[in-house]
Amino acid sequence: MQPTLLILAAGMGSRYGGVKQLDQFGPHGETIIDYSLFDAIRAGFGKVVFIIREELRADFEEIFLPKLQGKIQVDFAIQALGSYVPVELGAVERTKPWGTGHAVLCAKDHTQTPFAVINADDFYGYQAFELISQFLQTDTDDQLHAMVAYEVKNTLSENGSVSRGVCEVNESGNLMSVIERTKIYEQEGDPAGSRIVFEEADGLTQLAPNTPVSMNFWGFKPSVFPLIQKQFESYAVANIDSPKAEFYIPTVMTNLIQTNTGHCKVFRSQSAWFGVTYPEDKPTVQAALNALHAEGAYPDRLWDNA
């Protein structure tokens, strides 16, 4: 059974200043999503579900449906503010989406196979898709899920702080915990050289350069959906009056591990990773993609002969 790819593309892009999911980065106007789709198809994925806001649907259909016709099954899931919020809570008074965990839940009725989850604005590299695809097609344990981790030193931006899920992995290669740190950056000026830190209200904490972090590349079995729904409903009740509260995928996974209702195998990818958080990141991403084309990692035009 071919796995499904869920692409998280409903974000607001507040720090980027626009819809970065659809911005053009490749030498012929390719989006970052184009590269993820190209790699997913050759890694064996059979379906893609774009998780988007309703107002983005027409643009996504216009850009992706023609190039994907005959290559992979395509579907759309809408991340609406009221989706899966208990009706007794009434109208939802917020403008920001509920977060990545809620986004996955919004694809519940569109996903019947084991599935992977990725960000729309991150480049992960073919190896990551191959690792997750093989896992999803061969592992039969409904309680065992997976993620692809990257070293934190390879995931920073030169243009500001970033949010990352900092992972603790046991000797068996399974995830023990993942904690979302929303302000990670390289601190300069230390006598010993620059160091990587995350910032919180009580100060700075240093991270080793090879610390594994989640870039939101996950692999799940469909049995996880009822568990996510139960978690989100409780979260919504607790945060209905907090318009900026977000229900993250790492929150879901941490709960599964702590309640012994799920486990997570950690794959460490050696592929290049880069992403877009700030407008100033764009030239760096464009240069990296141009280099990959020049090296032959991708054809001159992605979809001409795909």
Side-chain angles (χ1 to χ4, degrees):
M1 183 180 294
Q2 290 181 294
T4 298
L5 178 66
L6 308 186
I7 300 182
L8 304 173
M12 304 291 284
S14 56
R15 286 182 289 184
Y16 190 71
V19 185
K20 58 183 175 179
Q21 303 95 309
L22 300 178
D23 203 357
Q24 299 179 354
F25 296 91
H28 299 288
E30 296 89 351
T31 66
I32 292 180
I33 292 175
D34 280 305
Y35 292 90
S36 293
L37 290 167
F38 187 86
D39 286 336
I41 290 170
R42 58 179 177 161
F45 284 81
K47 180 179 179 179
V48 58
V49 179
F50 293 99
I51 306 173
I52 56 175
R53 304 191 307 275
E54 181 62 50
E55 59 265 31
L56 296 177
R57 180 162 186 156
D59 290 335
F60 269 79
E61 289 181 346
E62 180 181 357
I63 292 171
F64 293 108
L65 287 182
K67 66 182 67 173
L68 296 178
Q69 186 175 7
K71 299 180 178 69
I72 192 171
Q73 184 181 350
V74 181
D75 199 358
F76 297 89
I78 304 301
Q79 186 178 11
L81 298 178
S83 295
Y84 295 97
V85 175
V87 293
E88 62 269 21
L89 297 179
V92 177
E93 301 293 336
R94 61 185 290 146
T95 58
K96 188 176 185 178
W98 279 100
T100 55
H102 178 251
V104 172
L105 181 57
C106 289
K108 175 175 177 285
D109 294 335
H110 303 262
T111 311
Q112 288 75 47
T113 71
F115 62 94
V117 183
I118 64 168
N119 290 335
D121 53 351
D122 287 347
F123 176 92
Y124 295 99
Y126 172 70
Q127 185 195 29
F129 289 92
E130 184 180 37
L131 288 169
I132 286 290
S133 178
Q134 290 180 353
F135 169 79
L136 294 175
Q137 292 186 74
T138 58
D139 188 86
T140 58
D141 183 350
D142 279 347
Q143 289 193 335
L144 182 62
H145 311 290
M147 65 165 288
V148 178
Y150 293 77
E151 295 184 351
V152 67
K153 67 181 180 182
N154 295 327
T155 73
L156 303 178
S157 169
E158 298 177 353
N159 301 301
S161 64
V162 296
S163 297
R164 301 287 181 257
V166 177
C167 302
E168 182 181 2
V169 183
N170 65 20
E171 294 180 354
S172 300
N174 288 336
L175 187 68
M176 296 179 65
S177 68
V178 54
I179 301 174
E180 192 77 8
R181 303 298 185 186
T182 57
K183 198 169 185 179
I184 299 176
Y185 55 91
E186 192 168 35
Q187 183 186 44
E188 299 180 353
D190 188 281
S194 62
R195 61 178 190 158
I196 299 171
V197 297
F198 66 83
E199 181 177 329
E200 292 187 320
D202 58 352
L204 303 179
T205 301
Q206 186 171 356
L207 291 172
N210 64 346
T211 299
V213 295
S214 163
M215 303 310 300
N216 254 5
F217 198 135
W218 302 90
F220 288 103
K221 311 297 173 52
S223 58
V224 78
F225 280 120
L227 303 175
I228 297 178
Q229 184 171 348
K230 182 179 179 180
Q231 286 188 46
F232 175 71
E233 289 173 352
S234 297
Y235 185 88
V237 169
N239 292 276
I240 192 64
D241 294 322
S242 303
K244 294 185 178 180
E246 292 191 65
F247 180 65
Y248 295 117
I249 295 174
T251 303
V252 171
M253 186 57 73
T254 298
N255 182 271
L256 295 179
I257 294 169
Q258 291 178 345
T259 59
N260 202 33
T261 54
H263 310 281
C264 183
K265 182 177 180 64
V266 178
F267 295 102
R268 294 179 182 249
S269 176
Q270 300 304 312
S271 296
W273 176 93
F274 43 85
V276 188
T277 302
Y278 302 94
E280 295 81 5
D281 292 330
K282 185 171 182 176
T284 302
V285 172
Q286 290 174 318
L289 291 173
N290 284 332
L292 288 171
H293 280 277
E295 295 167 3
Y298 296 96
D300 180 49
R301 292 182 179 270
L302 282 186
W303 302 110
D304 282 358
N305 298 308

PDB file of all heavy atoms in Angstrom, residues 226-257:
ATOM      1  N   PRO A 226      -7.811   8.967  15.977  1.00  0.00           N
ATOM      2  CA  PRO A 226      -8.686   9.118  17.150  1.00  0.00           C
ATOM      3  C   PRO A 226      -7.947   9.655  18.365  1.00  0.00           C
ATOM      4  O   PRO A 226      -8.530  10.407  19.170  1.00  0.00           O
ATOM      5  CB  PRO A 226      -9.203   7.693  17.400  1.00  0.00           C
ATOM      6  CG  PRO A 226      -9.041   6.988  16.100  1.00  0.00           C
ATOM      7  CD  PRO A 226      -7.820   7.578  15.467  1.00  0.00           C
ATOM      8  N   LEU A 227      -6.681   9.302  18.516  1.00  0.00           N
ATOM      9  CA  LEU A 227      -5.894   9.787  19.642  1.00  0.00           C
ATOM     10  C   LEU A 227      -5.618  11.282  19.509  1.00  0.00           C
ATOM     11  O   LEU A 227      -5.678  12.031  20.501  1.00  0.00           O
ATOM     12  CB  LEU A 227      -4.582   9.006  19.741  1.00  0.00           C
ATOM     13  CG  LEU A 227      -4.726   7.486  19.883  1.00  0.00           C
ATOM     14  CD1 LEU A 227      -3.362   6.813  19.851  1.00  0.00           C
ATOM     15  CD2 LEU A 227      -5.454   7.140  21.174  1.00  0.00           C
ATOM     16  N   ILE A 228      -5.316  11.732  18.277  1.00  0.00           N
ATOM     17  CA  ILE A 228      -5.101  13.163  18.054  1.00  0.00           C
ATOM     18  C   ILE A 228      -6.386  13.934  18.331  1.00  0.00           C
ATOM     19  O   ILE A 228      -6.373  14.996  18.961  1.00  0.00           O
ATOM     20  CB  ILE A 228      -4.619  13.433  16.616  1.00  0.00           C
ATOM     21  CG1 ILE A 228      -3.261  12.774  16.359  1.00  0.00           C
ATOM     22  CG2 ILE A 228      -4.518  14.936  16.364  1.00  0.00           C
ATOM     23  CD1 ILE A 228      -2.752  12.960  14.939  1.00  0.00           C
ATOM     24  N   GLN A 229      -7.511  13.389  17.871  1.00  0.00           N
ATOM     25  CA  GLN A 229      -8.788  14.085  18.070  1.00  0.00           C
ATOM     26  C   GLN A 229      -9.099  14.243  19.559  1.00  0.00           C
ATOM     27  O   GLN A 229      -9.515  15.321  19.999  1.00  0.00           O
ATOM     28  CB  GLN A 229      -9.916  13.333  17.365  1.00  0.00           C
ATOM     29  CG  GLN A 229     -11.258  14.053  17.462  1.00  0.00           C
ATOM     30  CD  GLN A 229     -12.321  13.437  16.579  1.00  0.00           C
ATOM     31  OE1 GLN A 229     -12.038  12.598  15.724  1.00  0.00           O
ATOM     32  NE2 GLN A 229     -13.552  13.851  16.778  1.00  0.00           N
ATOM     33  N   LYS A 230      -8.887  13.198  20.312  1.00  0.00           N
ATOM     34  CA  LYS A 230      -9.153  13.268  21.754  1.00  0.00           C
ATOM     35  C   LYS A 230      -8.252  14.310  22.421  1.00  0.00           C
ATOM     36  O   LYS A 230      -8.709  15.114  23.259  1.00  0.00           O
ATOM     37  CB  LYS A 230      -8.933  11.891  22.385  1.00  0.00           C
ATOM     38  CG  LYS A 230      -9.233  11.846  23.882  1.00  0.00           C
ATOM     39  CD  LYS A 230      -9.023  10.444  24.430  1.00  0.00           C
ATOM     40  CE  LYS A 230      -9.308  10.396  25.926  1.00  0.00           C
ATOM     41  NZ  LYS A 230      -9.093   9.025  26.475  1.00  0.00           N
ATOM     42  N   GLN A 231      -6.967  14.323  22.029  1.00  0.00           N
ATOM     43  CA  GLN A 231      -6.045  15.301  22.586  1.00  0.00           C
ATOM     44  C   GLN A 231      -6.458  16.724  22.233  1.00  0.00           C
ATOM     45  O   GLN A 231      -6.449  17.629  23.073  1.00  0.00           O
ATOM     46  CB  GLN A 231      -4.629  15.050  22.076  1.00  0.00           C
ATOM     47  CG  GLN A 231      -3.923  13.865  22.678  1.00  0.00           C
ATOM     48  CD  GLN A 231      -2.463  13.829  22.249  1.00  0.00           C
ATOM     49  OE1 GLN A 231      -1.756  14.832  22.276  1.00  0.00           O
ATOM     50  NE2 GLN A 231      -2.008  12.666  21.818  1.00  0.00           N
ATOM     51  N   PHE A 232      -6.815  16.928  20.948  1.00  0.00           N
ATOM     52  CA  PHE A 232      -7.143  18.291  20.525  1.00  0.00           C
ATOM     53  C   PHE A 232      -8.406  18.809  21.197  1.00  0.00           C
ATOM     54  O   PHE A 232      -8.483  19.992  21.559  1.00  0.00           O
ATOM     55  CB  PHE A 232      -7.302  18.378  19.005  1.00  0.00           C
ATOM     56  CG  PHE A 232      -7.758  19.750  18.572  1.00  0.00           C
ATOM     57  CD1 PHE A 232      -6.899  20.834  18.646  1.00  0.00           C
ATOM     58  CD2 PHE A 232      -9.063  19.954  18.142  1.00  0.00           C
ATOM     59  CE1 PHE A 232      -7.327  22.113  18.289  1.00  0.00           C
ATOM     60  CE2 PHE A 232      -9.494  21.226  17.782  1.00  0.00           C
ATOM     61  CZ  PHE A 232      -8.626  22.303  17.854  1.00  0.00           C
ATOM     62  N   GLU A 233      -9.394  17.956  21.347  1.00  0.00           N
ATOM     63  CA  GLU A 233     -10.630  18.412  21.993  1.00  0.00           C
ATOM     64  C   GLU A 233     -10.353  18.906  23.412  1.00  0.00           C
ATOM     65  O   GLU A 233     -10.882  19.936  23.842  1.00  0.00           O
ATOM     66  CB  GLU A 233     -11.667  17.290  21.982  1.00  0.00           C
ATOM     67  CG  GLU A 233     -12.235  17.019  20.584  1.00  0.00           C
ATOM     68  CD  GLU A 233     -13.136  15.802  20.529  1.00  0.00           C
ATOM     69  OE1 GLU A 233     -13.199  15.071  21.537  1.00  0.00           O
ATOM     70  OE2 GLU A 233     -13.768  15.585  19.477  1.00  0.00           O
ATOM     71  N   SER A 234      -9.500  18.202  24.134  1.00  0.00           N
ATOM     72  CA  SER A 234      -9.129  18.647  25.477  1.00  0.00           C
ATOM     73  C   SER A 234      -8.339  19.950  25.414  1.00  0.00           C
ATOM     74  O   SER A 234      -8.530  20.864  26.238  1.00  0.00           O
ATOM     75  CB  SER A 234      -8.292  17.574  26.190  1.00  0.00           C
ATOM     76  OG  SER A 234      -9.038  16.390  26.378  1.00  0.00           O
ATOM     77  N   TYR A 235      -7.463  20.048  24.419  1.00  0.00           N
ATOM     78  CA  TYR A 235      -6.658  21.254  24.255  1.00  0.00           C
ATOM     79  C   TYR A 235      -7.542  22.452  23.931  1.00  0.00           C
ATOM     80  O   TYR A 235      -7.345  23.555  24.468  1.00  0.00           O
ATOM     81  CB  TYR A 235      -5.628  21.048  23.147  1.00  0.00           C
ATOM     82  CG  TYR A 235      -4.664  22.200  22.969  1.00  0.00           C
ATOM     83  CD1 TYR A 235      -3.488  22.251  23.699  1.00  0.00           C
ATOM     84  CD2 TYR A 235      -4.934  23.237  22.084  1.00  0.00           C
ATOM     85  CE1 TYR A 235      -2.595  23.305  23.556  1.00  0.00           C
ATOM     86  CE2 TYR A 235      -4.055  24.298  21.933  1.00  0.00           C
ATOM     87  CZ  TYR A 235      -2.883  24.319  22.673  1.00  0.00           C
ATOM     88  OH  TYR A 235      -2.010  25.379  22.524  1.00  0.00           O
ATOM     89  N   ALA A 236      -8.529  22.249  23.068  1.00  0.00           N
ATOM     90  CA  ALA A 236      -9.423  23.334  22.686  1.00  0.00           C
ATOM     91  C   ALA A 236     -10.213  23.837  23.888  1.00  0.00           C
ATOM     92  O   ALA A 236     -10.399  25.047  24.071  1.00  0.00           O
ATOM     93  CB  ALA A 236     -10.361  22.876  21.581  1.00  0.00           C
ATOM     94  N   VAL A 237     -10.673  22.925  24.715  1.00  0.00           N
ATOM     95  CA  VAL A 237     -11.409  23.315  25.916  1.00  0.00           C
ATOM     96  C   VAL A 237     -10.532  24.184  26.814  1.00  0.00           C
ATOM     97  O   VAL A 237     -10.974  25.213  27.349  1.00  0.00           O
ATOM     98  CB  VAL A 237     -11.895  22.069  26.688  1.00  0.00           C
ATOM     99  CG1 VAL A 237     -12.422  22.457  28.065  1.00  0.00           C
ATOM    100  CG2 VAL A 237     -12.968  21.338  25.890  1.00  0.00           C
ATOM    101  N   ALA A 238      -9.279  23.801  26.956  1.00  0.00           N
ATOM    102  CA  ALA A 238      -8.371  24.524  27.853  1.00  0.00           C
ATOM    103  C   ALA A 238      -7.898  25.847  27.267  1.00  0.00           C
ATOM    104  O   ALA A 238      -7.476  26.746  28.021  1.00  0.00           O
ATOM    105  CB  ALA A 238      -7.172  23.652  28.189  1.00  0.00           C
ATOM    106  N   ASN A 239      -7.960  25.997  25.937  1.00  0.00           N
ATOM    107  CA  ASN A 239      -7.356  27.166  25.291  1.00  0.00           C
ATOM    108  C   ASN A 239      -8.319  27.951  24.414  1.00  0.00           C
ATOM    109  O   ASN A 239      -7.872  28.761  23.598  1.00  0.00           O
ATOM    110  CB  ASN A 239      -6.155  26.723  24.448  1.00  0.00           C
ATOM    111  CG  ASN A 239      -5.000  26.208  25.293  1.00  0.00           C
ATOM    112  OD1 ASN A 239      -4.194  26.971  25.792  1.00  0.00           O
ATOM    113  ND2 ASN A 239      -4.945  24.890  25.442  1.00  0.00           N
ATOM    114  N   ILE A 240      -9.613  27.752  24.576  1.00  0.00           N
ATOM    115  CA  ILE A 240     -10.581  28.418  23.717  1.00  0.00           C
ATOM    116  C   ILE A 240     -10.493  29.940  23.833  1.00  0.00           C
ATOM    117  O   ILE A 240     -10.803  30.665  22.891  1.00  0.00           O
ATOM    118  CB  ILE A 240     -12.015  27.931  24.027  1.00  0.00           C
ATOM    119  CG1 ILE A 240     -12.988  28.388  22.938  1.00  0.00           C
ATOM    120  CG2 ILE A 240     -12.442  28.365  25.416  1.00  0.00           C
ATOM    121  CD1 ILE A 240     -12.710  27.817  21.576  1.00  0.00           C
ATOM    122  N   ASP A 241     -10.026  30.434  24.980  1.00  0.00           N
ATOM    123  CA  ASP A 241      -9.903  31.882  25.174  1.00  0.00           C
ATOM    124  C   ASP A 241      -8.476  32.384  24.947  1.00  0.00           C
ATOM    125  O   ASP A 241      -8.145  33.516  25.318  1.00  0.00           O
ATOM    126  CB  ASP A 241     -10.353  32.253  26.591  1.00  0.00           C
ATOM    127  CG  ASP A 241     -11.840  31.989  26.806  1.00  0.00           C
ATOM    128  OD1 ASP A 241     -12.623  32.222  25.863  1.00  0.00           O
ATOM    129  OD2 ASP A 241     -12.205  31.533  27.913  1.00  0.00           O
ATOM    130  N   SER A 242      -7.633  31.553  24.345  1.00  0.00           N
ATOM    131  CA  SER A 242      -6.242  31.944  24.052  1.00  0.00           C
ATOM    132  C   SER A 242      -6.044  31.961  22.541  1.00  0.00           C
ATOM    133  O   SER A 242      -5.695  30.931  21.943  1.00  0.00           O
ATOM    134  CB  SER A 242      -5.261  30.965  24.716  1.00  0.00           C
ATOM    135  OG  SER A 242      -5.469  30.905  26.110  1.00  0.00           O
ATOM    136  N   PRO A 243      -6.272  33.096  21.880  1.00  0.00           N
ATOM    137  CA  PRO A 243      -6.295  33.135  20.413  1.00  0.00           C
ATOM    138  C   PRO A 243      -4.966  32.825  19.738  1.00  0.00           C
ATOM    139  O   PRO A 243      -4.932  32.572  18.526  1.00  0.00           O
ATOM    140  CB  PRO A 243      -6.736  34.570  20.105  1.00  0.00           C
ATOM    141  CG  PRO A 243      -6.388  35.353  21.331  1.00  0.00           C
ATOM    142  CD  PRO A 243      -6.569  34.408  22.479  1.00  0.00           C
ATOM    143  N   LYS A 244      -3.872  32.814  20.487  1.00  0.00           N
ATOM    144  CA  LYS A 244      -2.572  32.511  19.887  1.00  0.00           C
ATOM    145  C   LYS A 244      -2.067  31.118  20.259  1.00  0.00           C
ATOM    146  O   LYS A 244      -0.974  30.718  19.827  1.00  0.00           O
ATOM    147  CB  LYS A 244      -1.542  33.561  20.293  1.00  0.00           C
ATOM    148  CG  LYS A 244      -1.839  34.955  19.739  1.00  0.00           C
ATOM    149  CD  LYS A 244      -0.729  35.938  20.070  1.00  0.00           C
ATOM    150  CE  LYS A 244      -1.020  37.310  19.469  1.00  0.00           C
ATOM    151  NZ  LYS A 244       0.060  38.285  19.776  1.00  0.00           N
ATOM    152  N   ALA A 245      -2.828  30.367  21.033  1.00  0.00           N
ATOM    153  CA  ALA A 245      -2.406  29.025  21.436  1.00  0.00           C
ATOM    154  C   ALA A 245      -2.359  28.099  20.228  1.00  0.00           C
ATOM    155  O   ALA A 245      -3.240  28.155  19.357  1.00  0.00           O
ATOM    156  CB  ALA A 245      -3.361  28.472  22.483  1.00  0.00           C
ATOM    157  N   GLU A 246      -1.326  27.241  20.159  1.00  0.00           N
ATOM    158  CA  GLU A 246      -1.174  26.316  19.031  1.00  0.00           C
ATOM    159  C   GLU A 246      -0.957  24.893  19.533  1.00  0.00           C
ATOM    160  O   GLU A 246      -0.184  24.661  20.465  1.00  0.00           O
ATOM    161  CB  GLU A 246      -0.012  26.734  18.128  1.00  0.00           C
ATOM    162  CG  GLU A 246      -0.256  28.030  17.376  1.00  0.00           C
ATOM    163  CD  GLU A 246       0.794  28.276  16.310  1.00  0.00           C
ATOM    164  OE1 GLU A 246       0.857  27.493  15.339  1.00  0.00           O
ATOM    165  OE2 GLU A 246       1.544  29.249  16.461  1.00  0.00           O
ATOM    166  N   PHE A 247      -1.616  23.960  18.878  1.00  0.00           N
ATOM    167  CA  PHE A 247      -1.560  22.535  19.192  1.00  0.00           C
ATOM    168  C   PHE A 247      -0.571  21.897  18.227  1.00  0.00           C
ATOM    169  O   PHE A 247      -0.875  21.665  17.061  1.00  0.00           O
ATOM    170  CB  PHE A 247      -2.959  21.949  19.034  1.00  0.00           C
ATOM    171  CG  PHE A 247      -3.080  20.480  19.329  1.00  0.00           C
ATOM    172  CD1 PHE A 247      -2.852  19.978  20.592  1.00  0.00           C
ATOM    173  CD2 PHE A 247      -3.470  19.601  18.324  1.00  0.00           C
ATOM    174  CE1 PHE A 247      -2.994  18.625  20.857  1.00  0.00           C
ATOM    175  CE2 PHE A 247      -3.612  18.251  18.577  1.00  0.00           C
ATOM    176  CZ  PHE A 247      -3.376  17.758  19.848  1.00  0.00           C
ATOM    177  N   TYR A 248       0.650  21.631  18.723  1.00  0.00           N
ATOM    178  CA  TYR A 248       1.736  21.171  17.870  1.00  0.00           C
ATOM    179  C   TYR A 248       1.780  19.646  17.735  1.00  0.00           C
ATOM    180  O   TYR A 248       1.380  18.919  18.651  1.00  0.00           O
ATOM    181  CB  TYR A 248       3.080  21.637  18.426  1.00  0.00           C
ATOM    182  CG  TYR A 248       3.312  23.128  18.427  1.00  0.00           C
ATOM    183  CD1 TYR A 248       3.482  23.819  19.632  1.00  0.00           C
ATOM    184  CD2 TYR A 248       3.398  23.847  17.248  1.00  0.00           C
ATOM    185  CE1 TYR A 248       3.723  25.184  19.653  1.00  0.00           C
ATOM    186  CE2 TYR A 248       3.642  25.215  17.250  1.00  0.00           C
ATOM    187  CZ  TYR A 248       3.799  25.875  18.455  1.00  0.00           C
ATOM    188  OH  TYR A 248       4.042  27.220  18.462  1.00  0.00           O
ATOM    189  N   ILE A 249       2.330  19.168  16.622  1.00  0.00           N
ATOM    190  CA  ILE A 249       2.561  17.732  16.454  1.00  0.00           C
ATOM    191  C   ILE A 249       3.469  17.180  17.563  1.00  0.00           C
ATOM    192  O   ILE A 249       3.202  16.093  18.085  1.00  0.00           O
ATOM    193  CB  ILE A 249       3.136  17.411  15.062  1.00  0.00           C
ATOM    194  CG1 ILE A 249       2.116  17.751  13.976  1.00  0.00           C
ATOM    195  CG2 ILE A 249       3.522  15.934  14.964  1.00  0.00           C
ATOM    196  CD1 ILE A 249       2.640  17.594  12.567  1.00  0.00           C
ATOM    197  N   PRO A 250       4.551  17.870  17.943  1.00  0.00           N
ATOM    198  CA  PRO A 250       5.347  17.352  19.065  1.00  0.00           C
ATOM    199  C   PRO A 250       4.542  17.161  20.340  1.00  0.00           C
ATOM    200  O   PRO A 250       4.824  16.256  21.129  1.00  0.00           O
ATOM    201  CB  PRO A 250       6.430  18.423  19.243  1.00  0.00           C
ATOM    202  CG  PRO A 250       6.609  18.991  17.882  1.00  0.00           C
ATOM    203  CD  PRO A 250       5.223  19.024  17.294  1.00  0.00           C
ATOM    204  N   THR A 251       3.537  17.998  20.560  1.00  0.00           N
ATOM    205  CA  THR A 251       2.659  17.811  21.722  1.00  0.00           C
ATOM    206  C   THR A 251       1.926  16.480  21.615  1.00  0.00           C
ATOM    207  O   THR A 251       1.787  15.744  22.595  1.00  0.00           O
ATOM    208  CB  THR A 251       1.642  18.960  21.813  1.00  0.00           C
ATOM    209  OG1 THR A 251       2.339  20.200  21.885  1.00  0.00           O
ATOM    210  CG2 THR A 251       0.744  18.806  23.033  1.00  0.00           C
ATOM    211  N   VAL A 252       1.453  16.173  20.416  1.00  0.00           N
ATOM    212  CA  VAL A 252       0.769  14.902  20.168  1.00  0.00           C
ATOM    213  C   VAL A 252       1.696  13.734  20.470  1.00  0.00           C
ATOM    214  O   VAL A 252       1.345  12.804  21.212  1.00  0.00           O
ATOM    215  CB  VAL A 252       0.286  14.824  18.706  1.00  0.00           C
ATOM    216  CG1 VAL A 252      -0.224  13.418  18.381  1.00  0.00           C
ATOM    217  CG2 VAL A 252      -0.788  15.863  18.428  1.00  0.00           C
ATOM    218  N   MET A 253       2.898  13.785  19.904  1.00  0.00           N
ATOM    219  CA  MET A 253       3.817  12.661  20.053  1.00  0.00           C
ATOM    220  C   MET A 253       4.261  12.483  21.494  1.00  0.00           C
ATOM    221  O   MET A 253       4.364  11.356  22.004  1.00  0.00           O
ATOM    222  CB  MET A 253       5.030  12.845  19.144  1.00  0.00           C
ATOM    223  CG  MET A 253       5.973  11.648  19.135  1.00  0.00           C
ATOM    224  SD  MET A 253       5.164  10.102  18.650  1.00  0.00           S
ATOM    225  CE  MET A 253       4.948  10.403  16.885  1.00  0.00           C
ATOM    226  N   THR A 254       4.525  13.580  22.177  1.00  0.00           N
ATOM    227  CA  THR A 254       4.923  13.492  23.580  1.00  0.00           C
ATOM    228  C   THR A 254       3.838  12.825  24.412  1.00  0.00           C
ATOM    229  O   THR A 254       4.114  11.984  25.272  1.00  0.00           O
ATOM    230  CB  THR A 254       5.235  14.890  24.137  1.00  0.00           C
ATOM    231  OG1 THR A 254       6.340  15.444  23.407  1.00  0.00           O
ATOM    232  CG2 THR A 254       5.590  14.815  25.613  1.00  0.00           C
ATOM    233  N   ASN A 255       2.585  13.178  24.136  1.00  0.00           N
ATOM    234  CA  ASN A 255       1.475  12.568  24.870  1.00  0.00           C
ATOM    235  C   ASN A 255       1.380  11.075  24.585  1.00  0.00           C
ATOM    236  O   ASN A 255       1.152  10.271  25.496  1.00  0.00           O
ATOM    237  CB  ASN A 255       0.163  13.260  24.502  1.00  0.00           C
ATOM    238  CG  ASN A 255      -1.025  12.696  25.262  1.00  0.00           C
ATOM    239  OD1 ASN A 255      -1.654  11.740  24.818  1.00  0.00           O
ATOM    240  ND2 ASN A 255      -1.335  13.285  26.403  1.00  0.00           N
ATOM    241  N   LEU A 256       1.570  10.668  23.333  1.00  0.00           N
ATOM    242  CA  LEU A 256       1.519   9.250  22.981  1.00  0.00           C
ATOM    243  C   LEU A 256       2.583   8.465  23.740  1.00  0.00           C
ATOM    244  O   LEU A 256       2.333   7.377  24.251  1.00  0.00           O
ATOM    245  CB  LEU A 256       1.719   9.068  21.475  1.00  0.00           C
ATOM    246  CG  LEU A 256       0.653   9.626  20.531  1.00  0.00           C
ATOM    247  CD1 LEU A 256       1.043   9.371  19.088  1.00  0.00           C
ATOM    248  CD2 LEU A 256      -0.716   9.033  20.829  1.00  0.00           C
ATOM    249  N   ILE A 257       3.786   9.042  23.808  1.00  0.00           N
ATOM    250  CA  ILE A 257       4.887   8.367  24.490  1.00  0.00           C
ATOM    251  C   ILE A 257       4.619   8.278  25.986  1.00  0.00           C
ATOM    252  O   ILE A 257       4.799   7.226  26.618  1.00  0.00           O
ATOM    253  CB  ILE A 257       6.210   9.101  24.204  1.00  0.00           C
ATOM    254  CG1 ILE A 257       6.563   8.984  22.713  1.00  0.00           C
ATOM    255  CG2 ILE A 257       7.344   8.534  25.060  1.00  0.00           C
ATOM    256  CD1 ILE A 257       7.705   9.884  22.276  1.00  0.00           C
TER     257      ILE A 257
END
